[in-house]
Amino acid sequence: MAKIKAFNGYLYNQDKIDDLGKVTSLPYDSINAKEQQLLYDMHEYNAVRLVKGMQYESDTDTDNQYTRAGKFLEDWIEKEILKRDSVPAIYLYEQKVIFNKTTFKNTGFVTLLELDDKYKKVIPCEDTTPSSNKDSYELLSHTKSNLNMISCMYIESDRGLSRLIDEVSYSAPQAEFVLSDGTKERIWKICDQDKIDFITKELSNHTLYISDGQNRYESSLQYQSDCIKNNPNHTGEEPYNYIMTLLTNAYDDGMMMVPFHRLVRFEKGFNESFFVSACQDNFKVEKIIVDTDTSEFVDTIKKQIGITRHENKIAMYCGGSYFYRLTLKNKDILKDYLPDKSDGYRSLDVAVLNSLIMSDVLNIPEEAYEQRVEFTKSVTDGVERVRSGEFGCLLAINPVKAEQVREVALAGEKLPYMTICVFPKPVTGTIINKLD
C-alpha cells in the first residue's frame, strides 16, 4: 500500500506578493532561454530562480545555479516571501486552461508520497536520461526541497475521491491566480482530519503511476540513500523519505495526455525523396496537400493522424504546403525490432516512431537524441520551426492513452523517454516542500 500523508507546505505570502501569477514559473523542463529571461524580468521573486537559474561563465563549484537556488530559497523564507503553513494539510490543486477552443482541467491532491525503491507501490512509467537525473539531484541536494511536485495517476471509477474534490472546490480557495498564458490556478488547503484520513485511506488502496517527474523520483531515491548513510538514527519518518506529489485520477474528464513531437536536425540537409522511399517498406505513405494558413494546416495534420480505430499513424512535415501521413501496414513487424517488449509497448506510436523511423530510416539511435532531436508539445511550434529552417523535419504523433500507460507499467516496462506529458502541467512555485 502506498503511504500518503499531509504536510506543512511553503507557499508565497500573499501579504507580500500581490499577483501570484508573476512569481510562479513554468515547469523547469518546459523553459527555453527566451522564456527563462522573461520569467526573470517578470518579478524579482519568480520561482525560475530556484528551478532553472541563469548560468554564467564565471560559475564555480561553490557559486553556480544550484548554490544560488539554495541561497535564494533561504533568503525568501527569511524575508517571509515564502511562508510555511502552521498546520499539516493536503492541498487540492486545480488548473484550468482553454487550448484549441477546448477547456481542460487538471485537478488533484498534493500530498507527500513515501519513496519506494522497489517500485511495488509506485509504478515508473517512463525512461529518463543521465543528464536530467544529474540536474535534478544537484538541485535537490543544494536546496533540500521539492521545488516541483511530481505527478502520479491513480485509477478510480467509483469516484469517491472525485465527490470530495467537488465538495472542497465549492468553498473559497486559499489562493487563486492566472498565469501569463491564461491558465487559471486555484489551491485549497484541506486541514480537516476526517477528510485527510479519508483521502489517505482511499489513495493508499490504489496503484500509482508516475506520469511526470520520473527523473525527480529517481533523484529523490538517490538523495534518500545518501541521507540514510549519513544518519545512524534513521527511522524512516524523516522528510527525505517522502516526495511531494500531485495525485490525479486517470479518468478525470478534464485532464489529457499531450504527445511530445520530434523535431529533427540534419547536418547535410533532409533528403525527402529518400525518406519517403524508405518509409514505404513498413508504412502506407500518403502526401496530403493543404494550401492554407498555419492554424488550419496544423488542424489538418492532427485530424489526419487522429485514431479512428487501432492504428499507428504518424505525420511527417518537411516544409511547404503539404505533409505525409504514415500508417503502419503490419503491427507484427515490431516483434522483429522489439522482441523483448510486450504487445502493449509495441502498440505505442512512439515505439513505432523510434524503431521504424528514427532508428531504421533516419539512423538516429536514442543515445544521439540530445544532439539531433528536440521535443515539442505543439504542432504549430514544430511547423514554424521547420519553415524557419531551424530543423529539417517534424514528426508528429498521437498522445499516449491512460490505458496504454497502465498496460505497459503492469508488464514491468517503462515508456520510451519523452512519451508522457500531462496537460495542464503543474507550475513551479505553487507549493514547496522542505526536507530539513
Side-chain angles (χ1 to χ4, degrees):
M1 296 174 66
K3 186 173 180 180
I4 306 294
K5 70 176 187 177
F7 67 108
N8 303 76
Y10 279 85
L11 286 79
Y12 276 102
N13 184 351
Q14 296 184 70
D15 291 334
K16 293 179 178 287
I17 304 295
D18 293 331
D19 184 357
L20 297 180
K22 293 186 180 301
V23 292
T24 46
S25 164
L26 295 167
Y28 77 101
D29 54 356
S30 301
I31 302 172
N32 59 36
K34 181 180 178 181
E35 290 165 337
Q36 182 188 38
Q37 187 61 60
L38 288 172
L39 291 167
Y40 256 79
D41 295 341
M42 187 178 292
H43 200 286
E44 63 176 315
Y45 295 121
N46 189 284
V48 71
R49 290 170 172 80
L50 305 178
V51 295
K52 198 175 181 69
M54 293 289 189
Q55 300 181 53
Y56 306 106
E57 291 183 3
S58 59
D59 282 353
T60 65
D61 290 342
T62 57
D63 183 17
N64 53 59
Q65 67 187 103
Y66 307 113
T67 61
R68 288 190 289 271
K71 291 175 182 176
F72 280 130
L73 185 59
E74 290 176 6
D75 181 57
W76 297 358
I77 291 173
E78 185 178 340
K79 293 178 178 177
E80 292 194 336
I81 301 301
L82 293 167
K83 196 170 181 180
R84 191 184 191 204
D85 280 337
S86 58
V87 296
I90 287 178
Y91 301 85
L92 181 64
Y93 178 33
E94 177 194 271
Q95 296 177 282
K96 187 184 293 185
V97 62
I98 297 175
F99 183 73
N100 287 341
K101 301 177 183 179
T102 302
T103 299
F104 296 100
K105 185 170 72 170
N106 186 9
T107 307
F109 299 104
V110 182
T111 75
L112 293 190
L113 170 64
E114 185 179 35
L115 293 165
D116 172 23
D117 62 348
K118 303 295 190 228
Y119 287 107
K120 292 182 179 179
K121 311 163 191 172
V122 180
I123 308 298
C125 292
E126 190 174 58
D127 281 329
T128 61
T129 64
S131 60
S132 62
N133 284 358
K134 181 179 184 300
D135 179 64
S136 294
Y137 182 83
E138 291 292 333
L139 193 58
L140 177 60
S141 61
H142 283 88
T143 62
K144 295 180 174 56
S145 301
N146 299 140
L147 302 172
N148 303 274
M149 59 192 78
I150 69 165
S151 296
C152 284
M153 296 187 301
Y154 61 92
I155 299 174
E156 183 198 50
S157 56
D158 62 15
R159 304 187 67 81
L161 287 167
S162 297
R163 286 191 288 273
L164 177 60
I165 289 174
D166 291 340
E167 177 188 339
V168 173
S169 61
Y170 285 138
S171 62
Q174 270 70 40
E176 185 171 13
F177 55 99
V178 181
L179 304 179
S180 58
D181 65 357
T183 303
K184 297 180 180 179
E185 308 259 328
R186 296 197 294 174
I187 300 170
W188 293 262
K189 299 175 187 177
I190 302 173
C191 302
D192 179 82
Q193 194 58 51
D194 288 339
K195 288 185 172 66
I196 290 174
D197 290 344
F198 175 76
I199 294 166
T200 55
K201 180 181 178 181
E202 288 296 307
L203 288 174
S204 69
N205 293 323
H206 290 285
T207 300
L208 304 178
Y209 302 90
I210 301 175
S211 55
D212 182 68
Q214 179 64 39
N215 60 330
R216 278 167 277 155
Y217 193 86
E218 292 179 8
S219 298
S220 292
L221 287 173
Q222 180 60 53
Y223 182 74
Q224 177 193 40
S225 176
D226 293 343
C227 289
I228 291 173
K229 290 176 184 177
N230 295 317
N231 183 8
N233 299 313
H234 170 77
T235 66
E237 289 301 318
E238 295 84 357
Y240 57 70
N241 295 293
Y242 295 84
I243 186 169
M244 183 172 63
T245 305
L246 173 65
L247 295 158
T248 307
N249 191 354
Y251 290 150
D252 189 330
D253 294 335
M255 185 184 73
M256 70 174 292
M257 300 277 199
V258 296
F260 282 110
H261 311 294
R262 273 61 173 163
L263 283 160
V264 187
R265 51 173 66 91
F266 300 88
E267 295 178 0
K268 298 180 181 179
F270 178 65
N271 189 324
E272 182 180 335
S273 59
F274 167 79
F275 177 89
V276 171
S277 176
C279 282
Q280 286 175 340
D281 290 342
N282 293 312
F283 295 89
K284 177 184 177 182
V285 180
E286 301 166 276
K287 184 176 182 178
I288 299 175
I289 299 173
V290 190
D291 190 10
T292 185
D293 62 25
T294 299
S295 62
E296 291 187 21
F297 188 88
V298 168
D299 286 342
T300 302
I301 289 177
K302 293 177 181 178
K303 290 175 183 176
Q304 289 296 325
I305 65 171
I307 302 298
T308 55
R309 57 184 185 275
H310 196 58
E311 294 180 314
N312 295 104
K313 294 181 181 180
I314 298 167
M316 191 281 291
Y317 176 69
C318 56
S321 59
Y322 60 91
F323 65 93
Y324 294 96
R325 180 173 63 188
L326 314 174
T327 305
L328 184 64
K329 296 177 183 177
N330 180 10
K331 292 180 180 295
D332 288 340
I333 190 67
L334 267 294
K335 294 180 180 178
D336 296 332
Y337 286 84
L338 301 169
D340 299 327
K341 295 295 186 182
S342 67
D343 288 341
Y345 186 100
R346 290 192 288 259
S347 74
L348 300 169
D349 280 358
V350 68
V352 173
L353 173 61
N354 287 350
S355 300
L356 302 182
I357 298 178
M358 300 298 290
S359 179
D360 196 43
V361 174
L362 300 179
N363 195 30
I364 305 175
E366 288 191 43
E367 55 266 25
Y369 281 12
E370 287 193 20
Q371 291 75 40
R372 298 281 305 278
V373 180
E374 192 165 314
F375 302 91
T376 180
K377 299 187 291 292
S378 166
V379 177
T380 301
D381 172 69
V383 167
E384 290 174 347
R385 293 172 81 179
V386 170
R387 286 178 174 173
S388 72
E390 183 182 357
F391 290 91
C393 76
L394 166 71
L395 292 158
I397 59 177
N398 288 296
V400 66
K401 298 180 178 64
E403 292 79 7
Q404 290 178 298
V405 174
R406 183 174 182 272
E407 184 179 1
V408 171
L410 290 178
E413 300 169 329
K414 295 181 183 179
L415 299 172
Y417 176 59
M418 296 297 275
T419 296
I420 303 177
C421 182
V422 172
F423 181 81
K425 190 172 181 178
V427 296
T428 300
T430 50
I431 309 166
I432 291 173
N433 174 45
K434 287 285 286 176
L435 301 178
D436 57 4

